[in-house]
Amino acid sequence: VSTAGATVVALRFEGRTLRALDQTVLPWREQELELHSASDVAGAIRCLQIRGAPLIGVAAGYAIALELARDPGGQTLDRACRLLKDARPTAVNLAYAVDRVRAAVLSSESARPAEAALTEARAIHAEEEAASDLIAANGADLLADHHRVLTHCNTGALAAPGRGTALAVIDEMWRRGGLERAIATETRPLLQGARLTVYELRKRGIPHELAVDSAAAGLIAGGWLDAVIVGCDRVAANGDVANKVGTYGLALAAQAARVPFIVAGPTSTIDESCPSGAEITIEERDQDEVRRTQEATLTLADTPCRNPAFDVTPAGLITALVTERGVAQPVDADSLAALMAR
Ligand code: MRU
């Protein structure tokens, strides 16, 4: 892993290529993927080489531009949009970005649809980057008196353009001198915490420790933490939040210990058309992700497994939702509607 303080760039569009850090080989190798088509990008999203709610949206936007540059024909736009939207079901940012780029192409008068798609994809990318800085500032203001935080999964620059979401808040707390240490949970089965959050915290020079997922509740109850802060994949209109599996358990533990449980994300992750968490589709992934890691087999090869990639945390367990437009607190239908109206 290279120098502390170095920035992580998860995604960049150059010429006719989308270049992305392959997140399945981090932190051991910093290897770049070169993606040339919608099917390349959809494949990278499906296997989590590109992951994190805002980042998969941005990647999908660029993918539509790539595909239209290869074939500007009549069916291409709809085919690419369908392929990309189907890559992963839970994070609303994917559908959000695909729908925005599709609408921009359809409404453009240009004879070059790929250019219209690229302009919109770049706009989404820039907006998410700007949102990241505002989320960082709003979250650090909110947690000014909190010094030891726990986070789950990876919500940094590998998951969202700019500095990320929850990890951007942690970064900002550290830059302001308020953070003592961050604890990252491993985040089984794919170890986004152990591999990716640790990689980013080390790069940024932020003091950190890694804990297994099952240690988190005890650490929270034992007074080792002042706050829990996580990202989100879809926020329903009533404030229920879908995020990486294990989030719900952390929220329950935080509530029992009266520790603030904070969710951070851009407003592009708020799905006003989804009434509550009950309507959110939870992605079920391959059972082999539970049975084995890249290096080792963990159980008998034919053990039946459950592998929901996300869970839903009810709004009532969430102390505050930090977005680029401000903070919703308490988190409910009224506070979200007010936030979206800003
Ligand atoms: O399955 P992943 O790794 O894409 O899941 C990511 C998460 O759950 C993140 O917490 C969420 O996307 C917010 S990222 C800024």
Side-chain angles (χ1 to χ4, degrees), residues 48 51-54 88 153-155 159-160 165 192 231-233 243-244 310:
L48 272 62
R51 50 153 293 285
R88 294 192 77 188
C153 195
N154 170 267
T155 60
T165 60
Q192 289 94 329
C232 44
D233 282 80
N243 189 51
K244 178 53 55 194
F310 301 94

Side-chain angles (χ1 to χ4, degrees), residues 72-95:
Q75 304 302 310
T76 305
L77 180 63
D78 282 343
R79 193 175 34 77
C81 290
R82 215 171 314 116
L83 180 71
L84 289 157
K85 271 191 179 181
D86 286 348
R88 294 192 77 188
T90 304
V92 71
N93 304 67
L94 188 56

Side-chain angles (χ1 to χ4, degrees), residues 17-333:
T17 307
L18 180 64
R19 296 179 193 279
L21 268 179
D22 180 351
Q23 300 196 28
T24 60
V25 298
L26 284 170
W28 303 283
R29 270 180 293 147
E30 290 173 335
Q31 191 171 294
E32 218 171 45
L33 302 164
E34 292 189 1
L35 308 162
H36 303 283
S37 66
S39 113
D40 283 357
V41 176
I45 290 173
R46 266 195 302 272
C47 73
L48 272 62
Q49 288 175 309
I50 300 173
R51 50 153 293 285
L55 199 78
I56 60 177
V58 171
Y62 285 125
I64 297 171
L66 285 172
E67 198 60 30
L68 287 170
R70 283 158 53 91
D71 174 9
Q75 304 302 310
T76 305
L77 180 63
D78 282 343
R79 193 175 34 77
C81 290
R82 215 171 314 116
L83 180 71
L84 289 157
K85 271 191 179 181
D86 286 348
R88 294 192 77 188
T90 304
V92 71
N93 304 67
L94 188 56
Y96 162 85
V98 167
D99 289 345
R100 257 185 74 170
V101 172
R102 182 171 184 277
V105 170
L106 292 176
S107 69
S108 95
E109 301 295 310
S110 160
R112 298 199 179 104
E115 279 179 18
L118 185 56
T119 303
E120 190 67 8
R122 286 198 199 283
I124 296 171
H125 196 168
E127 285 167 28
E128 295 292 6
E129 224 165 78
S132 169
D133 277 334
L134 292 167
I135 291 167
N138 291 338
D141 288 349
L142 183 72
L143 293 175
D145 299 326
H146 301 71
H147 311 292
R148 303 162 306 164
V149 299
L150 179 136
T151 190
H152 189 52
C153 195
N154 170 267
T155 60
L158 292 168
R163 285 192 273 165
T165 60
L167 209 60
V169 174
I170 293 173
D171 185 45
E172 186 63 22
M173 291 167 75
W174 169 245
R175 289 185 195 197
R176 293 183 185 185
L179 186 82
E180 204 177 288
R181 86 181 36 249
I183 293 187
T185 52
E186 275 186 317
T187 320
R188 276 277 295 148
L190 297 178
L191 301 170
Q192 289 94 329
R195 296 186 301 103
L196 308 176
T197 298
V198 161
Y199 168 80
E200 288 202 49
L201 288 169
R202 180 178 291 215
K203 277 219 169 211
R204 296 177 197 204
I206 298 174
H208 60 275
E209 291 167 333
L210 177 66
V212 296
D213 296 318
S214 43
L219 291 171
I220 293 167
W224 292 96
L225 294 150
D226 305 319
V228 176
I229 179 159
V230 299
C232 44
D233 282 80
R234 191 181 297 244
V235 181
N238 72 343
D240 292 349
V241 164
N243 189 51
K244 178 53 55 194
V245 69
T247 300
Y248 177 40
L250 294 174
L252 288 168
Q255 191 198 44
R258 298 183 195 286
V259 165
F261 183 83
I262 313 297
V263 175
T267 48
S268 57
T269 309
I270 298 175
D271 182 358
E272 289 180 287
S273 73
C274 177
S276 77
E279 286 78 32
I280 300 176
T281 302
I282 299 297
E283 178 182 10
E284 289 268 353
R285 294 185 60 85
D286 197 309
Q287 296 182 35
D288 268 346
E289 291 180 351
V290 177
R291 293 185 188 116
R292 44 185 305 130
T293 67
Q294 283 164 337
E295 310 300 329
T297 301
L298 304 175
T299 184
L300 300 174
D302 58 353
T303 301
C305 300
R306 293 296 306 268
N307 190 13
F310 301 94
D311 58 24
V312 173
T313 300
L317 294 178
I318 303 168
T319 311
L321 173 71
V322 178
T323 75
E324 78 280 14
R325 295 194 202 176
V327 177
Q329 186 178 16
V331 181
D332 56 28

